[in-house]
PDB file of all heavy atoms in Angstrom:
ATOM      1  N   ASP A   1      -9.093  14.691  -9.463  1.00 92.00           N
ATOM      2  CA  ASP A   1      -7.790  14.802  -8.802  1.00 92.00           C
ATOM      3  C   ASP A   1      -6.916  13.618  -9.198  1.00 92.00           C
ATOM      4  O   ASP A   1      -7.151  12.490  -8.773  1.00 92.00           O
ATOM      5  CB  ASP A   1      -8.010  14.827  -7.288  1.00 92.00           C
ATOM      6  CG  ASP A   1      -6.726  15.072  -6.506  1.00 92.00           C
ATOM      7  OD1 ASP A   1      -5.638  14.772  -7.045  1.00 92.00           O
ATOM      8  OD2 ASP A   1      -6.805  15.540  -5.359  1.00 92.00           O
ATOM      9  N   GLN A   2      -5.890  13.874 -10.002  1.00 89.00           N
ATOM     10  CA  GLN A   2      -5.081  12.760 -10.505  1.00 89.00           C
ATOM     11  C   GLN A   2      -4.236  12.123  -9.404  1.00 89.00           C
ATOM     12  O   GLN A   2      -3.915  10.937  -9.480  1.00 89.00           O
ATOM     13  CB  GLN A   2      -4.218  13.196 -11.694  1.00 89.00           C
ATOM     14  CG  GLN A   2      -3.326  14.395 -11.455  1.00 89.00           C
ATOM     15  CD  GLN A   2      -1.957  14.013 -10.961  1.00 89.00           C
ATOM     16  OE1 GLN A   2      -1.522  12.881 -11.137  1.00 89.00           O
ATOM     17  NE2 GLN A   2      -1.270  14.944 -10.348  1.00 89.00           N
ATOM     18  N   VAL A   3      -3.902  12.854  -8.344  1.00 91.00           N
ATOM     19  CA  VAL A   3      -3.186  12.254  -7.212  1.00 91.00           C
ATOM     20  C   VAL A   3      -4.097  11.238  -6.515  1.00 91.00           C
ATOM     21  O   VAL A   3      -3.668  10.134  -6.165  1.00 91.00           O
ATOM     22  CB  VAL A   3      -2.702  13.337  -6.216  1.00 91.00           C
ATOM     23  CG1 VAL A   3      -2.086  12.690  -4.990  1.00 91.00           C
ATOM     24  CG2 VAL A   3      -1.698  14.268  -6.892  1.00 91.00           C
ATOM     25  N   GLU A   4      -5.357  11.612  -6.341  1.00 93.00           N
ATOM     26  CA  GLU A   4      -6.347  10.697  -5.774  1.00 93.00           C
ATOM     27  C   GLU A   4      -6.469   9.441  -6.639  1.00 93.00           C
ATOM     28  O   GLU A   4      -6.513   8.317  -6.138  1.00 93.00           O
ATOM     29  CB  GLU A   4      -7.697  11.422  -5.709  1.00 93.00           C
ATOM     30  CG  GLU A   4      -8.617  10.962  -4.616  1.00 93.00           C
ATOM     31  CD  GLU A   4      -9.779  11.922  -4.438  1.00 93.00           C
ATOM     32  OE1 GLU A   4      -9.609  12.932  -3.725  1.00 93.00           O
ATOM     33  OE2 GLU A   4     -10.857  11.672  -5.036  1.00 93.00           O
ATOM     34  N   ALA A   5      -6.515   9.636  -7.941  1.00 94.00           N
ATOM     35  CA  ALA A   5      -6.635   8.506  -8.866  1.00 94.00           C
ATOM     36  C   ALA A   5      -5.431   7.581  -8.763  1.00 94.00           C
ATOM     37  O   ALA A   5      -5.565   6.350  -8.711  1.00 94.00           O
ATOM     38  CB  ALA A   5      -6.788   9.023 -10.296  1.00 94.00           C
ATOM     39  N   MET A   6      -4.248   8.160  -8.724  1.00 94.00           N
ATOM     40  CA  MET A   6      -3.018   7.369  -8.703  1.00 94.00           C
ATOM     41  C   MET A   6      -2.873   6.570  -7.421  1.00 94.00           C
ATOM     42  O   MET A   6      -2.323   5.465  -7.415  1.00 94.00           O
ATOM     43  CB  MET A   6      -1.807   8.286  -8.872  1.00 94.00           C
ATOM     44  CG  MET A   6      -1.695   8.955 -10.234  1.00 94.00           C
ATOM     45  SD  MET A   6      -1.092   7.848 -11.509  1.00 94.00           S
ATOM     46  CE  MET A   6       0.633   7.726 -11.077  1.00 94.00           C
ATOM     47  N   THR A   7      -3.353   7.117  -6.307  1.00 93.00           N
ATOM     48  CA  THR A   7      -3.136   6.462  -5.017  1.00 93.00           C
ATOM     49  C   THR A   7      -4.231   5.472  -4.658  1.00 93.00           C
ATOM     50  O   THR A   7      -4.037   4.641  -3.772  1.00 93.00           O
ATOM     51  CB  THR A   7      -3.035   7.507  -3.889  1.00 93.00           C
ATOM     52  OG1 THR A   7      -4.196   8.348  -3.915  1.00 93.00           O
ATOM     53  CG2 THR A   7      -1.798   8.368  -4.054  1.00 93.00           C
ATOM     54  N   MET A   8      -5.393   5.530  -5.337  1.00 94.00           N
ATOM     55  CA  MET A   8      -6.514   4.692  -4.938  1.00 94.00           C
ATOM     56  C   MET A   8      -6.807   3.537  -5.886  1.00 94.00           C
ATOM     57  O   MET A   8      -7.203   2.457  -5.461  1.00 94.00           O
ATOM     58  CB  MET A   8      -7.786   5.548  -4.791  1.00 94.00           C
ATOM     59  CG  MET A   8      -7.722   6.570  -3.688  1.00 94.00           C
ATOM     60  SD  MET A   8      -9.248   7.520  -3.503  1.00 94.00           S
ATOM     61  CE  MET A   8     -10.322   6.295  -2.764  1.00 94.00           C
ATOM     62  N   GLY A   9      -6.665   3.742  -7.174  1.00 95.00           N
ATOM     63  CA  GLY A   9      -7.169   2.787  -8.146  1.00 95.00           C
ATOM     64  C   GLY A   9      -6.275   1.580  -8.388  1.00 95.00           C
ATOM     65  O   GLY A   9      -5.052   1.693  -8.393  1.00 95.00           O
ATOM     66  N   ASP A  10      -6.921   0.407  -8.592  1.00 97.00           N
ATOM     67  CA  ASP A  10      -6.187  -0.739  -9.146  1.00 97.00           C
ATOM     68  C   ASP A  10      -5.788  -0.409 -10.577  1.00 97.00           C
ATOM     69  O   ASP A  10      -4.689  -0.695 -11.014  1.00 97.00           O
ATOM     70  CB  ASP A  10      -7.063  -1.995  -9.133  1.00 97.00           C
ATOM     71  CG  ASP A  10      -7.408  -2.428  -7.718  1.00 97.00           C
ATOM     72  OD1 ASP A  10      -6.556  -2.279  -6.826  1.00 97.00           O
ATOM     73  OD2 ASP A  10      -8.530  -2.914  -7.503  1.00 97.00           O
ATOM     74  N   ARG A  11      -6.751   0.185 -11.300  1.00 98.00           N
ATOM     75  CA  ARG A  11      -6.477   0.736 -12.623  1.00 98.00           C
ATOM     76  C   ARG A  11      -7.149   2.098 -12.729  1.00 98.00           C
ATOM     77  O   ARG A  11      -8.084   2.408 -11.989  1.00 98.00           O
ATOM     78  CB  ARG A  11      -6.994  -0.186 -13.736  1.00 98.00           C
ATOM     79  CG  ARG A  11      -6.182  -1.445 -13.936  1.00 98.00           C
ATOM     80  CD  ARG A  11      -6.575  -2.159 -15.224  1.00 98.00           C
ATOM     81  NE  ARG A  11      -7.978  -2.538 -15.209  1.00 98.00           N
ATOM     82  CZ  ARG A  11      -8.702  -2.733 -16.313  1.00 98.00           C
ATOM     83  NH1 ARG A  11      -8.168  -2.531 -17.514  1.00 98.00           N
ATOM     84  NH2 ARG A  11      -9.974  -3.093 -16.217  1.00 98.00           N
ATOM     85  N   VAL A  12      -6.659   2.899 -13.661  1.00 98.00           N
ATOM     86  CA  VAL A  12      -7.169   4.252 -13.856  1.00 98.00           C
ATOM     87  C   VAL A  12      -7.521   4.436 -15.324  1.00 98.00           C
ATOM     88  O   VAL A  12      -6.727   4.092 -16.207  1.00 98.00           O
ATOM     89  CB  VAL A  12      -6.130   5.312 -13.427  1.00 98.00           C
ATOM     90  CG1 VAL A  12      -6.654   6.722 -13.681  1.00 98.00           C
ATOM     91  CG2 VAL A  12      -5.753   5.133 -11.960  1.00 98.00           C
ATOM     92  N   ALA A  13      -8.716   4.973 -15.586  1.00 98.00           N
ATOM     93  CA  ALA A  13      -9.137   5.303 -16.949  1.00 98.00           C
ATOM     94  C   ALA A  13      -9.117   6.822 -17.098  1.00 98.00           C
ATOM     95  O   ALA A  13      -9.786   7.526 -16.339  1.00 98.00           O
ATOM     96  CB  ALA A  13     -10.528   4.754 -17.222  1.00 98.00           C
ATOM     97  N   VAL A  14      -8.347   7.311 -18.058  1.00 98.00           N
ATOM     98  CA  VAL A  14      -8.220   8.752 -18.288  1.00 98.00           C
ATOM     99  C   VAL A  14      -9.118   9.149 -19.453  1.00 98.00           C
ATOM    100  O   VAL A  14      -9.024   8.563 -20.542  1.00 98.00           O
ATOM    101  CB  VAL A  14      -6.760   9.134 -18.592  1.00 98.00           C
ATOM    102  CG1 VAL A  14      -6.625  10.654 -18.734  1.00 98.00           C
ATOM    103  CG2 VAL A  14      -5.822   8.630 -17.504  1.00 98.00           C
ATOM    104  N   LEU A  15      -9.999  10.137 -19.228  1.00 98.00           N
ATOM    105  CA  LEU A  15     -10.907  10.602 -20.268  1.00 98.00           C
ATOM    106  C   LEU A  15     -10.654  12.059 -20.612  1.00 98.00           C
ATOM    107  O   LEU A  15     -10.202  12.844 -19.772  1.00 98.00           O
ATOM    108  CB  LEU A  15     -12.370  10.442 -19.836  1.00 98.00           C
ATOM    109  CG  LEU A  15     -12.895   9.013 -19.715  1.00 98.00           C
ATOM    110  CD1 LEU A  15     -12.764   8.519 -18.279  1.00 98.00           C
ATOM    111  CD2 LEU A  15     -14.350   8.930 -20.154  1.00 98.00           C
ATOM    112  N   LYS A  16     -10.952  12.394 -21.859  1.00 97.00           N
ATOM    113  CA  LYS A  16     -10.869  13.785 -22.322  1.00 97.00           C
ATOM    114  C   LYS A  16     -11.925  13.980 -23.406  1.00 97.00           C
ATOM    115  O   LYS A  16     -11.993  13.189 -24.358  1.00 97.00           O
ATOM    116  CB  LYS A  16      -9.485  14.096 -22.894  1.00 97.00           C
ATOM    117  CG  LYS A  16      -9.354  15.520 -23.435  1.00 97.00           C
ATOM    118  CD  LYS A  16      -8.089  15.697 -24.255  1.00 97.00           C
ATOM    119  CE  LYS A  16      -7.992  17.103 -24.831  1.00 97.00           C
ATOM    120  NZ  LYS A  16      -6.903  17.217 -25.824  1.00 97.00           N
ATOM    121  N   ASP A  17     -12.743  15.000 -23.253  1.00 96.00           N
ATOM    122  CA  ASP A  17     -13.786  15.315 -24.241  1.00 96.00           C
ATOM    123  C   ASP A  17     -14.647  14.106 -24.590  1.00 96.00           C
ATOM    124  O   ASP A  17     -15.009  13.888 -25.752  1.00 96.00           O
ATOM    125  CB  ASP A  17     -13.145  15.886 -25.519  1.00 96.00           C
ATOM    126  CG  ASP A  17     -12.385  17.176 -25.270  1.00 96.00           C
ATOM    127  OD1 ASP A  17     -12.756  17.904 -24.326  1.00 96.00           O
ATOM    128  OD2 ASP A  17     -11.417  17.450 -26.007  1.00 96.00           O
ATOM    129  N   GLY A  18     -14.960  13.304 -23.577  1.00 97.00           N
ATOM    130  CA  GLY A  18     -15.837  12.164 -23.778  1.00 97.00           C
ATOM    131  C   GLY A  18     -15.172  10.930 -24.350  1.00 97.00           C
ATOM    132  O   GLY A  18     -15.824   9.907 -24.543  1.00 97.00           O
ATOM    133  N   LEU A  19     -13.881  11.003 -24.623  1.00 97.00           N
ATOM    134  CA  LEU A  19     -13.150   9.889 -25.230  1.00 97.00           C
ATOM    135  C   LEU A  19     -12.183   9.273 -24.222  1.00 97.00           C
ATOM    136  O   LEU A  19     -11.472   9.988 -23.512  1.00 97.00           O
ATOM    137  CB  LEU A  19     -12.372  10.361 -26.459  1.00 97.00           C
ATOM    138  CG  LEU A  19     -13.210  10.826 -27.657  1.00 97.00           C
ATOM    139  CD1 LEU A  19     -12.321  11.524 -28.684  1.00 97.00           C
ATOM    140  CD2 LEU A  19     -13.938   9.645 -28.295  1.00 97.00           C
ATOM    141  N   LEU A  20     -12.139   7.955 -24.202  1.00 98.00           N
ATOM    142  CA  LEU A  20     -11.191   7.244 -23.343  1.00 98.00           C
ATOM    143  C   LEU A  20      -9.802   7.361 -23.964  1.00 98.00           C
ATOM    144  O   LEU A  20      -9.579   6.947 -25.102  1.00 98.00           O
ATOM    145  CB  LEU A  20     -11.599   5.770 -23.225  1.00 98.00           C
ATOM    146  CG  LEU A  20     -10.703   4.886 -22.352  1.00 98.00           C
ATOM    147  CD1 LEU A  20     -10.727   5.351 -20.903  1.00 98.00           C
ATOM    148  CD2 LEU A  20     -11.155   3.422 -22.446  1.00 98.00           C
ATOM    149  N   GLN A  21      -8.857   7.926 -23.206  1.00 98.00           N
ATOM    150  CA  GLN A  21      -7.500   8.130 -23.707  1.00 98.00           C
ATOM    151  C   GLN A  21      -6.588   6.943 -23.410  1.00 98.00           C
ATOM    152  O   GLN A  21      -5.802   6.517 -24.259  1.00 98.00           O
ATOM    153  CB  GLN A  21      -6.897   9.396 -23.080  1.00 98.00           C
ATOM    154  CG  GLN A  21      -7.707  10.649 -23.315  1.00 98.00           C
ATOM    155  CD  GLN A  21      -7.730  11.063 -24.765  1.00 98.00           C
ATOM    156  OE1 GLN A  21      -6.697  11.187 -25.412  1.00 98.00           O
ATOM    157  NE2 GLN A  21      -8.931  11.257 -25.298  1.00 98.00           N
ATOM    158  N   GLN A  22      -6.697   6.416 -22.202  1.00 98.00           N
ATOM    159  CA  GLN A  22      -5.834   5.299 -21.797  1.00 98.00           C
ATOM    160  C   GLN A  22      -6.388   4.701 -20.519  1.00 98.00           C
ATOM    161  O   GLN A  22      -6.933   5.411 -19.667  1.00 98.00           O
ATOM    162  CB  GLN A  22      -4.394   5.769 -21.567  1.00 98.00           C
ATOM    163  CG  GLN A  22      -3.397   4.654 -21.285  1.00 98.00           C
ATOM    164  CD  GLN A  22      -1.961   5.146 -21.162  1.00 98.00           C
ATOM    165  OE1 GLN A  22      -1.701   6.341 -21.352  1.00 98.00           O
ATOM    166  NE2 GLN A  22      -1.044   4.268 -20.853  1.00 98.00           N
ATOM    167  N   VAL A  23      -6.285   3.397 -20.380  1.00 98.00           N
ATOM    168  CA  VAL A  23      -6.652   2.730 -19.127  1.00 98.00           C
ATOM    169  C   VAL A  23      -5.536   1.763 -18.778  1.00 98.00           C
ATOM    170  O   VAL A  23      -5.124   0.945 -19.602  1.00 98.00           O
ATOM    171  CB  VAL A  23      -8.020   2.022 -19.234  1.00 98.00           C
ATOM    172  CG1 VAL A  23      -8.054   1.021 -20.385  1.00 98.00           C
ATOM    173  CG2 VAL A  23      -8.372   1.334 -17.924  1.00 98.00           C
ATOM    174  N   ASP A  24      -5.007   1.891 -17.560  1.00 98.00           N
ATOM    175  CA  ASP A  24      -3.874   1.065 -17.147  1.00 98.00           C
ATOM    176  C   ASP A  24      -3.683   1.216 -15.644  1.00 98.00           C
ATOM    177  O   ASP A  24      -4.406   1.972 -14.986  1.00 98.00           O
ATOM    178  CB  ASP A  24      -2.604   1.483 -17.899  1.00 98.00           C
ATOM    179  CG  ASP A  24      -1.671   0.298 -18.173  1.00 98.00           C
ATOM    180  OD1 ASP A  24      -1.636  -0.625 -17.329  1.00 98.00           O
ATOM    181  OD2 ASP A  24      -0.995   0.299 -19.212  1.00 98.00           O
ATOM    182  N   THR A  25      -2.687   0.501 -15.119  1.00 97.00           N
ATOM    183  CA  THR A  25      -2.353   0.672 -13.708  1.00 97.00           C
ATOM    184  C   THR A  25      -1.762   2.065 -13.508  1.00 97.00           C
ATOM    185  O   THR A  25      -1.240   2.671 -14.457  1.00 97.00           O
ATOM    186  CB  THR A  25      -1.331  -0.379 -13.259  1.00 97.00           C
ATOM    187  OG1 THR A  25      -0.109  -0.183 -14.000  1.00 97.00           O
ATOM    188  CG2 THR A  25      -1.852  -1.789 -13.492  1.00 97.00           C
ATOM    189  N   PRO A  26      -1.833   2.611 -12.284  1.00 96.00           N
ATOM    190  CA  PRO A  26      -1.283   3.952 -12.053  1.00 96.00           C
ATOM    191  C   PRO A  26       0.177   4.093 -12.488  1.00 96.00           C
ATOM    192  O   PRO A  26       0.542   5.085 -13.136  1.00 96.00           O
ATOM    193  CB  PRO A  26      -1.443   4.134 -10.540  1.00 96.00           C
ATOM    194  CG  PRO A  26      -2.634   3.312 -10.193  1.00 96.00           C
ATOM    195  CD  PRO A  26      -2.540   2.100 -11.080  1.00 96.00           C
ATOM    196  N   LEU A  27       1.016   3.114 -12.161  1.00 96.00           N
ATOM    197  CA  LEU A  27       2.427   3.228 -12.511  1.00 96.00           C
ATOM    198  C   LEU A  27       2.652   3.167 -14.012  1.00 96.00           C
ATOM    199  O   LEU A  27       3.518   3.867 -14.547  1.00 96.00           O
ATOM    200  CB  LEU A  27       3.242   2.138 -11.808  1.00 96.00           C
ATOM    201  CG  LEU A  27       3.595   2.411 -10.342  1.00 96.00           C
ATOM    202  CD1 LEU A  27       4.395   1.254  -9.760  1.00 96.00           C
ATOM    203  CD2 LEU A  27       4.375   3.719 -10.198  1.00 96.00           C
ATOM    204  N   ASN A  28       1.894   2.320 -14.715  1.00 96.00           N
ATOM    205  CA  ASN A  28       2.047   2.255 -16.170  1.00 96.00           C
ATOM    206  C   ASN A  28       1.605   3.551 -16.836  1.00 96.00           C
ATOM    207  O   ASN A  28       2.198   3.980 -17.833  1.00 96.00           O
ATOM    208  CB  ASN A  28       1.269   1.073 -16.743  1.00 96.00           C
ATOM    209  CG  ASN A  28       1.977  -0.244 -16.510  1.00 96.00           C
ATOM    210  OD1 ASN A  28       3.167  -0.276 -16.195  1.00 96.00           O
ATOM    211  ND2 ASN A  28       1.250  -1.341 -16.649  1.00 96.00           N
ATOM    212  N   LEU A  29       0.550   4.179 -16.302  1.00 97.00           N
ATOM    213  CA  LEU A  29       0.140   5.478 -16.826  1.00 97.00           C
ATOM    214  C   LEU A  29       1.258   6.507 -16.647  1.00 97.00           C
ATOM    215  O   LEU A  29       1.497   7.337 -17.527  1.00 97.00           O
ATOM    216  CB  LEU A  29      -1.115   5.975 -16.107  1.00 97.00           C
ATOM    217  CG  LEU A  29      -2.461   5.370 -16.474  1.00 97.00           C
ATOM    218  CD1 LEU A  29      -3.546   5.965 -15.592  1.00 97.00           C
ATOM    219  CD2 LEU A  29      -2.795   5.595 -17.930  1.00 97.00           C
ATOM    220  N   TYR A  30       1.894   6.447 -15.502  1.00 97.00           N
ATOM    221  CA  TYR A  30       2.965   7.404 -15.197  1.00 97.00           C
ATOM    222  C   TYR A  30       4.208   7.140 -16.049  1.00 97.00           C
ATOM    223  O   TYR A  30       4.835   8.073 -16.558  1.00 97.00           O
ATOM    224  CB  TYR A  30       3.313   7.306 -13.711  1.00 97.00           C
ATOM    225  CG  TYR A  30       4.231   8.392 -13.203  1.00 97.00           C
ATOM    226  CD1 TYR A  30       3.721   9.620 -12.799  1.00 97.00           C
ATOM    227  CD2 TYR A  30       5.610   8.191 -13.113  1.00 97.00           C
ATOM    228  CE1 TYR A  30       4.554  10.626 -12.322  1.00 97.00           C
ATOM    229  CE2 TYR A  30       6.449   9.186 -12.635  1.00 97.00           C
ATOM    230  CZ  TYR A  30       5.918  10.403 -12.244  1.00 97.00           C
ATOM    231  OH  TYR A  30       6.761  11.389 -11.781  1.00 97.00           O
ATOM    232  N   ASP A  31       4.551   5.857 -16.198  1.00 95.00           N
ATOM    233  CA  ASP A  31       5.795   5.497 -16.885  1.00 95.00           C
ATOM    234  C   ASP A  31       5.668   5.467 -18.401  1.00 95.00           C
ATOM    235  O   ASP A  31       6.648   5.712 -19.108  1.00 95.00           O
ATOM    236  CB  ASP A  31       6.284   4.119 -16.413  1.00 95.00           C
ATOM    237  CG  ASP A  31       6.751   4.134 -14.968  1.00 95.00           C
ATOM    238  OD1 ASP A  31       7.093   5.223 -14.470  1.00 95.00           O
ATOM    239  OD2 ASP A  31       6.752   3.059 -14.337  1.00 95.00           O
ATOM    240  N   ARG A  32       4.458   5.151 -18.929  1.00 96.00           N
ATOM    241  CA  ARG A  32       4.288   5.026 -20.375  1.00 96.00           C
ATOM    242  C   ARG A  32       2.967   5.674 -20.809  1.00 96.00           C
ATOM    243  O   ARG A  32       2.059   4.964 -21.296  1.00 96.00           O
ATOM    244  CB  ARG A  32       4.332   3.555 -20.806  1.00 96.00           C
ATOM    245  CG  ARG A  32       5.645   2.853 -20.499  1.00 96.00           C
ATOM    246  CD  ARG A  32       5.783   1.521 -21.232  1.00 96.00           C
ATOM    247  NE  ARG A  32       6.083   1.698 -22.649  1.00 96.00           N
ATOM    248  CZ  ARG A  32       5.206   1.566 -23.638  1.00 96.00           C
ATOM    249  NH1 ARG A  32       3.948   1.266 -23.388  1.00 96.00           N
ATOM    250  NH2 ARG A  32       5.555   1.725 -24.889  1.00 96.00           N
ATOM    251  N   PRO A  33       2.832   6.977 -20.676  1.00 97.00           N
ATOM    252  CA  PRO A  33       1.599   7.637 -21.134  1.00 97.00           C
ATOM    253  C   PRO A  33       1.417   7.443 -22.637  1.00 97.00           C
ATOM    254  O   PRO A  33       2.368   7.545 -23.410  1.00 97.00           O
ATOM    255  CB  PRO A  33       1.836   9.107 -20.781  1.00 97.00           C
ATOM    256  CG  PRO A  33       3.321   9.254 -20.653  1.00 97.00           C
ATOM    257  CD  PRO A  33       3.823   7.943 -20.155  1.00 97.00           C
ATOM    258  N   ALA A  34       0.177   7.168 -23.043  1.00 97.00           N
ATOM    259  CA  ALA A  34      -0.096   6.820 -24.436  1.00 97.00           C
ATOM    260  C   ALA A  34      -0.060   8.027 -25.365  1.00 97.00           C
ATOM    261  O   ALA A  34       0.148   7.881 -26.566  1.00 97.00           O
ATOM    262  CB  ALA A  34      -1.460   6.136 -24.541  1.00 97.00           C
ATOM    263  N   ASN A  35      -0.291   9.220 -24.819  1.00 97.00           N
ATOM    264  CA  ASN A  35      -0.295  10.415 -25.662  1.00 97.00           C
ATOM    265  C   ASN A  35       0.038  11.649 -24.832  1.00 97.00           C
ATOM    266  O   ASN A  35       0.237  11.573 -23.621  1.00 97.00           O
ATOM    267  CB  ASN A  35      -1.653  10.575 -26.373  1.00 97.00           C
ATOM    268  CG  ASN A  35      -2.819  10.605 -25.396  1.00 97.00           C
ATOM    269  OD1 ASN A  35      -2.760  11.252 -24.351  1.00 97.00           O
ATOM    270  ND2 ASN A  35      -3.894   9.896 -25.729  1.00 97.00           N
ATOM    271  N   LEU A  36       0.094  12.781 -25.515  1.00 97.00           N
ATOM    272  CA  LEU A  36       0.493  14.027 -24.862  1.00 97.00           C
ATOM    273  C   LEU A  36      -0.463  14.431 -23.749  1.00 97.00           C
ATOM    274  O   LEU A  36      -0.039  14.945 -22.710  1.00 97.00           O
ATOM    275  CB  LEU A  36       0.561  15.162 -25.897  1.00 97.00           C
ATOM    276  CG  LEU A  36       1.880  15.339 -26.631  1.00 97.00           C
ATOM    277  CD1 LEU A  36       1.723  16.347 -27.771  1.00 97.00           C
ATOM    278  CD2 LEU A  36       2.981  15.778 -25.676  1.00 97.00           C
ATOM    279  N   PHE A  37      -1.769  14.190 -23.950  1.00 97.00           N
ATOM    280  CA  PHE A  37      -2.721  14.585 -22.912  1.00 97.00           C
ATOM    281  C   PHE A  37      -2.487  13.806 -21.631  1.00 97.00           C
ATOM    282  O   PHE A  37      -2.433  14.388 -20.548  1.00 97.00           O
ATOM    283  CB  PHE A  37      -4.164  14.380 -23.390  1.00 97.00           C
ATOM    284  CG  PHE A  37      -5.157  14.646 -22.288  1.00 97.00           C
ATOM    285  CD1 PHE A  37      -5.452  15.947 -21.922  1.00 97.00           C
ATOM    286  CD2 PHE A  37      -5.751  13.606 -21.587  1.00 97.00           C
ATOM    287  CE1 PHE A  37      -6.346  16.206 -20.876  1.00 97.00           C
ATOM    288  CE2 PHE A  37      -6.637  13.849 -20.550  1.00 97.00           C
ATOM    289  CZ  PHE A  37      -6.927  15.158 -20.196  1.00 97.00           C
ATOM    290  N   VAL A  38      -2.356  12.491 -21.727  1.00 97.00           N
ATOM    291  CA  VAL A  38      -2.127  11.684 -20.525  1.00 97.00           C
ATOM    292  C   VAL A  38      -0.811  12.086 -19.872  1.00 97.00           C
ATOM    293  O   VAL A  38      -0.712  12.182 -18.644  1.00 97.00           O
ATOM    294  CB  VAL A  38      -2.131  10.184 -20.871  1.00 97.00           C
ATOM    295  CG1 VAL A  38      -1.838   9.339 -19.626  1.00 97.00           C
ATOM    296  CG2 VAL A  38      -3.474   9.778 -21.469  1.00 97.00           C
ATOM    297  N   ALA A  39       0.215  12.331 -20.683  1.00 97.00           N
ATOM    298  CA  ALA A  39       1.515  12.739 -20.151  1.00 97.00           C
ATOM    299  C   ALA A  39       1.418  14.031 -19.356  1.00 97.00           C
ATOM    300  O   ALA A  39       2.025  14.172 -18.290  1.00 97.00           O
ATOM    301  CB  ALA A  39       2.520  12.905 -21.294  1.00 97.00           C
ATOM    302  N   SER A  40       0.635  14.978 -19.852  1.00 95.00           N
ATOM    303  CA  SER A  40       0.517  16.276 -19.178  1.00 95.00           C
ATOM    304  C   SER A  40      -0.414  16.218 -17.979  1.00 95.00           C
ATOM    305  O   SER A  40      -0.252  16.981 -17.028  1.00 95.00           O
ATOM    306  CB  SER A  40       0.015  17.335 -20.162  1.00 95.00           C
ATOM    307  OG  SER A  40      -1.295  17.028 -20.617  1.00 95.00           O
ATOM    308  N   PHE A  41      -1.387  15.289 -17.999  1.00 95.00           N
ATOM    309  CA  PHE A  41      -2.383  15.249 -16.937  1.00 95.00           C
ATOM    310  C   PHE A  41      -1.939  14.427 -15.733  1.00 95.00           C
ATOM    311  O   PHE A  41      -2.230  14.776 -14.590  1.00 95.00           O
ATOM    312  CB  PHE A  41      -3.707  14.685 -17.479  1.00 95.00           C
ATOM    313  CG  PHE A  41      -4.853  14.839 -16.530  1.00 95.00           C
ATOM    314  CD1 PHE A  41      -5.524  16.047 -16.421  1.00 95.00           C
ATOM    315  CD2 PHE A  41      -5.260  13.791 -15.719  1.00 95.00           C
ATOM    316  CE1 PHE A  41      -6.578  16.205 -15.533  1.00 95.00           C
ATOM    317  CE2 PHE A  41      -6.307  13.935 -14.831  1.00 95.00           C
ATOM    318  CZ  PHE A  41      -6.969  15.149 -14.740  1.00 95.00           C
ATOM    319  N   ILE A  42      -1.246  13.326 -15.982  1.00 95.00           N
ATOM    320  CA  ILE A  42      -0.838  12.427 -14.900  1.00 95.00           C
ATOM    321  C   ILE A  42       0.536  12.831 -14.383  1.00 95.00           C
ATOM    322  O   ILE A  42       1.497  12.921 -15.142  1.00 95.00           O
ATOM    323  CB  ILE A  42      -0.803  10.954 -15.382  1.00 95.00           C
ATOM    324  CG1 ILE A  42      -2.213  10.511 -15.797  1.00 95.00           C
ATOM    325  CG2 ILE A  42      -0.244  10.053 -14.301  1.00 95.00           C
ATOM    326  CD1 ILE A  42      -3.231  10.463 -14.677  1.00 95.00           C
TER     327      ILE A  42
END
């Protein structure tokens, strides 16, 4: 649940197919997603 992740974590690590996509604070993930997957998921 990405809402749960955004509201609870000091930092959030986003994974897809076993690969780490991005790790950052919730707001940085929201404001500057590193790729299309993070942008669509968060």
